Amino acid sequence: MAGPKHSCGVVGISAGSGVAHPLRTALMILQHRGQESAGISVFDGNWIESVRGDGLVEAAIPADRAESLKGTAGIGHVRYATTGSKGVINAQPITVKIASGMLSVAHNGDITNFSVLRDEYMREGRTFLTDSDSELILKLISKHLSEDPDIVKAIRAAMGELDGAYSLAVLYNGRVFAARDPFGFHPICLGKVEGGHMFASESTAIDALKGEFIRDIQPGEICEITRDGYVIHAMEGAHPHSRCMFEWVYFARPDSVIDGREVYEVRKRIGMVLARECPADVDLVMPIPDSGRAHAIGYALAAGIPYEEGFMKNRFAGRTFILPEQKLREAAVSTKMIPIRSTVSGKRIIIIDDSIVRGTTLKILVSMLRDAGAKEVHVRIGSPPIIAPCYYGVDMKTRDQFIANHYSIEGIREQIGADSLGYISLGGLVEAIGMPADELCLACTNGKYPTCIKGEEYRFS
Ligand code: AMP
């Protein structure tokens, strides 16, 4: 399987004036998609210069260093890494000098045939500096470019070799391209900005640059943006789609619109469906901030139960999910979220979160609510039980880590200490997203994978 697993964020801009600053701003808006490293690459008319570093965008790409990159075409990346894959060496974009100029690539997703392709290339004598899928993609494109100087054909040929999930940003000399895998796992969309055009993993990045959303880049498309316009190169023939449901449920910003569906609206609808499918007689509905907020608003509206903010989240706390040990994760969750006593004391409460993976978060929060005097604590979840690993870029990797593979729903309820537990049904989730089930990737909830993964069930056979 691939090296570092990541669901990241990408951006590209081609404009009449300097792009380094707007690239940096767009990456700040995509920060939730990755906090481990960030980088930008800009073509200065002759050479591609990059600034890349560890940490949040503000630190990884210092404003003065961004200012020093002069050029009107560039791409950028924020990276979500798991514990084993940190280090600035894996930061993106990755850039190389090739016979016809310079090439830089950044990528969001996971390439499922990474090891096979990389081994093949290494046997041919090619070398790799990093463990990342993006370097493999870069090498594939540059190999095809050495055979035919047409960059669109080279990207298309590379796409023909790649399996899995990829939303790509490619900078070839002064030309800027986006590409989305034929299944369309992760989002990427196109917009017009002052003096030019851009693409980004999420539409909010276009809003932040006061741009105008044009359209989603469709599965299988390659899109070249220029200062004056854009050119779409669609793929030939029909191909099944498999959009990641977790983008709407958890990963994307609520204010982004993905493939025509606003994330906030979808989450609210999830809450409404949950209220219908899993009602409870309680005094108030509370979110687990931040990801459960819109789900909880939907639930409260549909059930006619008051909505309250009963947890304060420490907004400066780091990510608990990727900590390497259970003890560390538990300690981190218990200081990240503190209940507001006056809101919860003596109340019958429903708390709503987007998902349960290991069960760490809810086990601790339910017990905190009881300590703060809650009379009853009911839990509702905006996705069906997560039971199967994601091979396409979401950090959920082993079957063993999922609590739903060890306990029944009643068993999970007991483990987290709730008075009742209800998950949205798969049908309810599909209804809330508003797209046919066969257009979505639901593999983490049903184990049916849209691409061939050794040892897993293939959905399309
Ligand atoms: P857990 O505490 O292990 O049950 O994980 C569930 C919590 O982590 C929920 O609050 C989710 O919002 C969040 N979460 C779910 N999946 C991920 C992910 N892939 N990366 C980071 N956080 C996640």
Side-chain angles (χ1 to χ4, degrees):
M1 211 31 62
K5 314 289 185 194
H6 37 70
S7 190
C8 312
V10 294
V11 59
I13 306 180
S14 179
S17 54
V19 293
H21 180 69
L23 283 171
R24 183 173 183 269
T25 305
L27 289 180
M28 284 178 172
I29 298 299
L30 298 177
Q31 187 78 80
H32 60 288
R33 297 187 71 86
Q35 294 104 51
E36 271 67 44
S37 68
I40 53 175
S41 288
V42 174
F43 182 68
D44 70 4
N46 182 40
W47 197 260
I48 292 177
E49 292 285 355
S50 302
V51 178
R52 305 182 310 159
D54 280 336
L56 300 182
V57 175
E58 208 165 352
I61 312 169
D64 54 337
R65 293 205 52 209
E67 283 303 318
S68 72
L69 298 190
K70 305 290 175 212
T72 57
I75 58 174
H77 186 260
V78 283
R79 177 154 181 276
Y80 178 126
T82 53
T83 41
S85 59
K86 291 189 170 165
V88 76
I89 186 148
N90 283 311
Q92 301 181 32
I94 299 179
T95 306
V96 286
K97 172 91 182 88
I98 55 174
S100 53
M102 295 206 66
L103 181 66
S104 189
V105 168
H107 156 245
N108 166 206
D110 257 344
I111 304 302
T112 49
N113 60 344
F114 170 83
S115 301
V116 174
L117 286 176
R118 195 170 77 155
D119 290 352
E120 218 171 280
Y121 275 76
M122 289 207 282
R123 275 198 298 276
E124 287 174 11
R126 286 167 210 270
T127 51
F128 287 82
L129 270 177
T130 73
D131 239 357
S132 99
D133 305 10
S134 307
E135 187 182 3
L136 172 73
I137 298 169
L138 182 86
K139 298 264 159 80
L140 292 183
I141 298 174
S142 62
K143 181 195 79 166
H144 291 295
L145 267 177
S146 70
E147 291 157 2
D148 181 335
D150 183 330
I151 176 71
V152 176
K153 279 192 192 153
I155 297 173
R156 181 64 71 203
M159 289 169 75
E161 291 184 67
L162 297 169
D163 279 339
Y166 51 91
S167 289
L168 290 183
V170 179
L171 178 63
Y172 176 51
N173 298 323
R175 297 175 69 184
V176 189
F177 297 87
R180 188 174 183 189
D181 69 72
F183 287 99
F185 284 102
H186 295 294
I188 186 161
C189 60
L190 178 66
K192 182 163 172 33
V193 282
E194 201 188 335
H197 289 82
M198 73 177 287
F199 60 79
S201 289
E202 291 184 34
S203 62
T204 321
I206 300 170
D207 298 334
L209 295 186
K210 311 244 174 308
E212 199 182 302
F213 174 86
I214 297 175
R215 75 200 270 292
D216 291 289
I217 294 171
Q218 295 299 326
E221 285 184 346
I222 299 169
C223 170
E224 178 170 12
I225 53 168
T226 64
R227 173 184 165 160
D228 302 317
Y230 63 93
V231 183
I232 300 278
H233 304 269
M235 72 180 279
E236 278 174 25
H239 195 282
H241 295 163
S242 201
R243 297 167 164 99
C244 168
M245 67 82 172
F246 215 55
E247 288 280 354
W248 283 285
V249 168
Y250 167 76
F251 208 65
R253 279 176 62 120
D255 48 349
S256 285
V257 181
I258 300 175
D259 294 323
R261 276 99 179 138
E262 188 189 70
V263 174
Y264 182 79
E265 280 301 319
V266 169
R267 289 187 190 164
K268 231 166 80 178
R269 275 202 299 274
I270 288 173
M272 290 174 164
V273 173
L274 260 177
R276 186 183 79 212
E277 291 185 341
C278 313
D281 185 16
V282 293
D283 304 313
L284 55 96
V285 178
M286 263 172 51
I288 306 297
D290 296 306
S291 48
R293 210 167 254 138
H295 302 84
I297 289 172
Y299 194 105
L301 278 173
I305 301 170
Y307 169 96
E308 291 270 11
E309 292 276 346
F311 277 113
M312 276 321 285
K313 179 175 168 180
N314 177 0
R315 71 174 70 154
F316 305 105
R319 280 172 48 207
T320 51
F321 191 83
I322 63 161
L323 292 171
E325 284 168 38
Q326 185 61 14
K327 271 202 175 119
L328 295 176
R329 289 191 288 269
E330 285 172 10
V333 170
S334 56
T335 51
K336 190 170 179 175
M337 223 86 78
I338 308 287
I340 299 172
R341 260 173 200 281
S342 64
T343 308
V344 303
S345 182
K347 303 280 179 24
R348 298 170 304 157
I349 301 166
I350 283 196
I351 51 175
I352 311 212
D353 205 357
D354 59 90
S355 59
I356 299 182
V357 180
R358 304 178 186 95
T360 315
T361 309
L362 280 165
K363 190 173 180 173
I364 289 169
L365 297 187
V366 169
S367 123
M368 276 180 161
L369 287 176
R370 293 207 192 279
D371 290 347
K375 208 152 80 183
E376 290 173 23
V377 183
H378 302 262
V379 172
R380 299 292 179 266
I381 301 297
S383 56
I386 305 288
I387 52 157
C390 176
Y391 299 99
Y392 306 117
V394 176
D395 183 15
M396 302 192 292
K397 292 304 164 205
T398 60
R399 279 193 162 71
D400 193 47
Q401 108 195 99
F402 305 127
I403 193 170
N405 285 338
H406 300 282
Y407 297 97
S408 63
I409 292 182
E410 173 55 17
I412 299 171
R413 182 199 65 72
E414 247 177 64
Q415 286 296 309
I416 63 176
D419 290 288
S420 74
L421 169 64
Y423 287 87
I424 196 169
S425 68
L426 197 53
L429 174 64
V430 170
E431 173 194 333
I433 295 174
M435 212 175 258
D438 61 6
E439 297 252 327
L440 294 168
C441 182
L442 304 163
C444 57
T445 66
N446 65 13
K448 294 180 184 163
Y449 293 90
T451 67
C452 282
I453 309 273
K454 217 171 156 192
E456 301 285 8
E457 190 181 338
Y458 180 48
R459 190 171 107 194
F460 293 107
S461 58

